[in-house]
């Protein structure tokens, strides 16, 4: 699920950059891209995948 969220954030960052949309400093394309990288790193680390570690 976090992989899909990362893809959406990357797509939003691409649209902001490609369309040259004027945004405030919080929603700049670089910041959205960095949020996507954080979510992708969490996905690769296995956080948020719904599995439980341990015995049932």
């Amino acid at each position: 699920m976090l992989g899909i969220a990362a893809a959406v954030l990357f797509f939003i960052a691409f649209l902001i950059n490609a369309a040259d949309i004027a945004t405030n400093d919080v929603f700049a394309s670089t910041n959205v891209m960095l949020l996507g990288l954080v979510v992708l790193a969490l996905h690769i680390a296995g956080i948020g995948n719904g599995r439980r570690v341990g015995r049932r």
Side-chain angles (χ1 to χ4, degrees), residues 2-53:
L2 287 175
I4 295 171
V8 169
L9 286 172
F10 286 136
F11 182 69
I12 291 171
F14 171 75
L15 286 180
I16 290 172
N17 191 20
D20 200 26
I21 299 172
T23 60
N24 58 7
D25 290 336
V26 175
F27 294 111
S29 64
T30 306
N31 290 341
V32 176
M33 182 188 62
L34 290 174
L35 285 174
L37 286 173
V38 167
V39 173
L40 186 62
L42 290 173
H43 171 72
I44 291 173
I47 297 172
N49 60 2
R51 292 189 201 169
R52 291 180 49 170
V53 177

